[in-house]
Amino acid sequence: MSSLQDKATLWSSVALRLLAFVFLRWIPGHLFPKIIYALFAIYIPSFITSFLTQAQYNVVEDEIDLIVTETEVENQPPKFASTAAHSQNLPSNEKPSNMEEEVNIHETIVLEESSPKPWRTLLTGLPSPTSAGLSFATLLINILLVLSATDLVYRAKVFHPSHDLSFARLGYVSPNEASLLVREFHPSQLPIFVSYRLATSTEAPWQAAGTIHSLGNDTDYTAAVKFSLPSRPEQMYQWKTSNNHTGFFKTPPKPGQVPSNGFTFLTSSCIKPRFPYNPLDHALAIPGLRHMAQVINSLPGGAQFMMFLGDFVYVDVPHRFGDSKEDYRREYRQVYASPDWPSVGQNLSWIHVLDDHEIENDWDQKTTGVYNHAADPWHHYQTTVNPPPARQAGTFNTLRKGATYFEFTQGPATFFMMDTRTYRDSSAGLAPNDTSKTMLGAEQLADLLAFLEKPEPRGVKWKIVASSVPFTKNWRVNSIDTWAGYLGERQKVLEAMWDVGLRGGVGVVIISGDRHEFAATAFPPPAGGKWPVSATVNEYSTSPLSQFYLPIPTYRQTDEEDVKVNGNSKLGAITIENTSSDQSILKFRLYVDGKEAWSSLFRV
């Protein structure tokens, strides 16, 4: 029994420690806590039994001495008198007798006290036979790992629901308009006055931007304030609210113009507070935002905006607490309540696209099920201060009513922000090459193709298409959730992108996220076709901003259609500059933990 208990103790402890490490540092999968708790339930009784029954001494030597003594013994007289009398009259040497043997066994055992073996005890979780202190220490390690897993799952939910969150953030900024999202739970702060002024002088007068008279649970106590600005591109402003929030922003250049230090924006995806797990961090800490702040400060002239490519919240990782509106709203509040948010959110415009973890992993059920509950905070916290909806195909400047995809132009680039979740067919429903299978839906596809086809004003040299999922088919894990599952529609989009290069003067770049890895991919047109090599489309897939990363790459090139350029990590910065020869240069820089790790450069 003792041996069986030792094996149960050993294997449950080793498995618990490995899974806890993976859960806390690599992948916070929703199944891991259940398995960790089950292993701990096996470990505790087996540990106690092993500790109480294991021997404290080892047998060094065991000798046995055997001594046999033989003795002749006269038999007892017969029972019958006549026979007994006859036996008594016999000479002694003729009397009946037998031999009796006496066996004496002497065992000598030499014992030695078991050695403590501290490393074996501490590393495996097995109790020490001689040291209660070491046994307690290794038990404590496993207890702390279970408590850490519990802390990661439940602490933010229990202690930081952030119901009373008060914050304001900068949304989309155009050359003549800015937008702010304001949340205030306390009615005593109403009405909230929003104002702005030129930041070039502390003596500049404050201008009224808007007033929020009421806030309620219908919008989770949020409101968007949009205000017009004087037509002064590349001008620095300060904003403030009467509930004690303030920040700065810079208006972008007009379409076709490029600032002297270049036009720079940031891109990434995937945020989960307090991951990788650090017990000393605040429950809502987001380490990636600290690295992002370092990058912003290192960029000449800073960044114009952050284009966030989805998975701003993870409602289903590491544990889904429910699917009500409040469950989704809480996830957004917790990100905005993070102590690391103000350093990147109050002075930088953030604009967003939607991905699966804002709804449910690998979402492909359109607007059914939990979609409406998930979309509620997505609209209140994100799209109300996003760029305008995309223009409707076949019209001059009519915005697509109700669209959850967006379009805008700033400086040397024009942008189309796709929604790859709301309109898609089931990933597994049709074959990837089926031309009727759609990720975008008919209207969004038409609007995207019109965006690619339309001529751009002088100086606009780049069309940037944002996709929450990778455009390349080179990701080998769950690839049908990416554009690899929609190759028929992807081919239509690619040909429209190559047509842009055929016309000349404008380049096409795709930015994406989702995969928790980095990869750069080129999409050259087929050899011998109507498109020149210069029409090659490039994609940069960047994530996570602050989540787990995959230590084993899942990106692999298998043909000459999607060509790998390089790969691995976190935050992308794209800078567009003009040259003296009227060429435009697009430079992509990859930052890993706040440090530049890789870059590439293209010209049109």
Side-chain angles (χ1 to χ4, degrees):
M1 177 62 72
S2 176
S3 176
L4 178 61
Q5 293 298 333
D6 286 347
K7 290 179 180 178
T9 304
L10 174 65
W11 291 112
S12 61
S13 175
V14 171
L16 185 154
R17 293 182 181 194
L18 288 175
L19 284 177
F21 177 79
V22 172
F23 177 69
L24 296 172
R25 302 297 300 177
W26 279 2
I27 303 175
H30 63 277
L31 291 178
F32 284 159
K34 298 177 182 178
I35 300 174
I36 290 171
Y37 294 148
L39 290 170
F40 191 62
I42 297 171
Y43 174 74
I44 287 296
S46 61
F47 175 89
I48 294 173
T49 304
S50 295
F51 179 72
L52 295 177
T53 59
Q54 65 183 347
Q56 297 184 7
Y57 296 91
N58 296 323
V59 177
V60 177
E61 186 177 344
D62 188 356
E63 292 185 357
I64 299 177
D65 294 326
L66 187 65
I67 302 173
V68 180
T69 304
E70 293 184 346
T71 305
E72 186 176 2
V73 179
E74 183 179 335
N75 288 347
Q76 295 294 322
K79 295 182 178 179
F80 300 103
S82 59
T83 306
H86 174 72
S87 178
Q88 290 293 330
N89 294 329
L90 291 175
S92 59
N93 62 343
E94 294 182 9
K95 291 181 178 180
S97 63
N98 60 23
M99 299 298 294
E100 289 188 356
E101 294 181 350
E102 181 181 353
V103 180
N104 293 315
I105 300 173
H106 298 280
E107 183 177 11
T108 304
I109 301 175
V110 180
L111 300 177
E112 180 183 64
E113 187 177 12
S114 299
S115 58
K117 297 181 180 179
W119 288 114
R120 175 177 175 270
T121 298
L122 294 176
L123 291 176
T124 65
L126 282 169
S128 170
T130 59
S131 174
L134 285 174
S135 298
F136 177 75
T138 199
L139 172 63
L140 184 62
I141 290 173
N142 286 347
I143 291 174
L144 289 175
L145 287 174
V146 173
L147 290 176
S148 295
T150 304
D151 185 40
L152 178 61
V153 174
Y154 294 101
R155 184 176 168 192
K157 162 78 163 53
V158 174
F159 296 107
H160 300 277
S162 304
H163 291 297
D164 59 350
L165 170 65
S166 174
F167 89 105
R169 79 164 180 92
L170 192 62
Y172 175 66
V173 178
S174 72
N176 52 23
E177 186 180 66
S179 56
L180 283 175
L181 178 74
V182 180
R183 185 184 194 273
E184 182 55 65
F185 180 76
H186 299 286
S188 60
Q189 297 292 330
L190 296 174
I192 297 173
F193 301 100
V194 180
S195 54
Y196 73 97
R197 70 177 181 181
L198 285 170
T200 53
S201 171
T202 57
E203 301 299 323
W206 289 98
Q207 305 291 325
T211 304
I212 301 172
H213 295 281
S214 64
L215 293 169
N217 188 56
D218 56 330
T219 63
D220 202 21
Y221 303 93
T222 65
V225 177
K226 298 184 179 183
F227 51 96
S228 299
L229 298 169
S231 184
R232 297 179 181 177
E234 303 176 56
Q235 186 68 57
M236 184 67 71
Y237 289 92
Q238 181 182 7
W239 61 267
K240 73 174 182 178
T241 66
S242 59
N243 60 336
N244 298 319
H245 301 293
T246 187
F248 295 85
F249 66 90
K250 186 177 182 180
T251 52
K254 288 184 176 181
Q257 297 181 352
V258 182
S260 58
N261 54 7
F263 177 84
T264 299
F265 67 95
L266 305 176
T267 177
S268 189
S269 70
C270 308
I271 288 177
K272 184 63 186 177
R274 209 186 184 194
F275 197 86
Y277 177 76
N278 183 339
L280 302 180
D281 269 347
H282 188 281
L284 302 181
I286 303 176
L289 297 185
R290 299 174 214 157
H291 297 307
M292 180 179 168
Q294 295 176 13
V295 172
I296 293 173
N297 293 333
S298 70
L299 295 172
Q304 192 63 50
F305 57 82
M306 159 59 97
M307 184 174 288
F308 198 81
L309 301 177
D311 293 344
F312 187 78
V313 300
Y314 275 72
V315 72
D316 51 354
V317 175
H319 178 72
R320 178 187 279 275
F321 291 101
D323 54 16
S324 67
K325 286 183 181 180
E326 170 54 25
D327 289 309
Y328 285 95
R329 288 176 173 185
R330 182 182 59 251
E331 297 292 330
Y332 286 86
R333 293 197 303 265
Q334 288 173 335
V335 173
Y336 287 125
S338 169
D340 299 309
W341 171 258
S343 63
V344 298
Q346 294 187 196
N347 303 320
L348 178 67
S349 165
W350 281 64
I351 53 180
H352 295 266
V353 299
L354 180 69
D355 202 19
D356 57 338
H357 287 286
E358 281 103 346
I359 311 168
E360 186 175 283
N361 188 40
D362 296 342
W363 182 257
D364 60 359
Q365 301 301 309
K366 299 186 177 179
T367 58
T368 64
V370 299
Y371 180 89
N372 288 330
H373 284 179
D376 172 83
W378 156 252
H379 290 308
H380 296 323
Y381 283 94
Q382 315 292 56
T383 67
T384 55
V385 289
N386 246 10
R391 282 178 281 192
Q392 183 175 329
T395 69
F396 175 69
N397 205 23
T398 302
L399 302 184
R400 176 72 71 176
K401 185 178 180 180
T404 53
Y405 49 94
F406 310 92
E407 179 185 347
F408 67 99
T409 301
Q410 287 189 4
T414 185
F415 299 83
F416 194 99
M417 302 165 63
M418 293 189 290
D419 179 349
T420 65
R421 292 293 171 185
T422 302
Y423 311 97
R424 68 159 62 190
D425 291 334
S426 173
S427 301
L430 297 170
N433 287 308
D434 193 317
T435 55
S436 66
K437 185 179 182 181
T438 180
M439 178 181 285
L440 302 179
E443 288 186 348
Q444 184 178 190
L445 176 61
D447 295 345
L448 172 61
L449 296 179
F451 164 83
L452 293 170
E453 185 180 2
K454 71 180 176 69
E456 299 299 339
R458 178 179 175 83
V460 176
K461 298 290 188 177
W462 299 93
K463 290 180 184 283
I464 312 292
V465 178
S467 172
S468 66
V469 295
F471 202 71
T472 177
K473 62 179 184 294
N474 286 349
W475 300 105
R476 300 302 163 183
V477 175
N478 193 27
S479 62
I480 64 169
D481 186 58
T482 72
W483 279 92
Y486 301 80
L487 293 176
E489 187 172 64
R490 189 186 89 142
Q491 187 63 25
K492 297 177 186 177
V493 175
L494 263 180
E495 291 180 3
M497 291 176 171
W498 290 331
D499 284 342
V500 175
L502 178 64
R503 293 190 292 270
V506 178
V508 179
V509 170
I510 303 166
I511 55 175
S512 63
D514 180 64
R515 293 279 99 177
H516 296 237
E517 300 179 57
F518 169 79
T521 307
F523 303 93
K530 67 176 182 178
W531 300 285
V533 176
S534 60
T536 296
V537 176
N538 290 277
E539 176 187 21
Y540 298 103
S541 187
T542 312
S543 67
L545 180 59
S546 196
Q547 240 280 28
F548 72 86
Y549 74 96
L550 293 177
I552 301 174
T554 63
Y555 180 99
R556 188 173 71 256
Q557 179 184 339
T558 58
D559 55 37
E560 297 304 314
E561 295 179 355
D562 295 20
V563 181
K564 178 180 179 180
V565 179
N566 209 333
N568 205 313
S569 190
K570 199 164 245 180
L571 176 67
I574 295 178
T575 299
I576 301 173
E577 300 173 336
N578 283 344
T579 67
S580 56
S581 59
D582 199 34
Q583 283 188 320
S584 181
I585 297 175
L586 184 146
K587 182 178 182 180
F588 179 92
R589 284 169 288 181
L590 172 69
Y591 291 87
V592 179
D593 294 339
K595 298 180 180 178
E596 186 173 343
W598 183 83
S599 65
S600 69
L601 187 145
F602 296 98
R603 299 171 183 266
V604 292

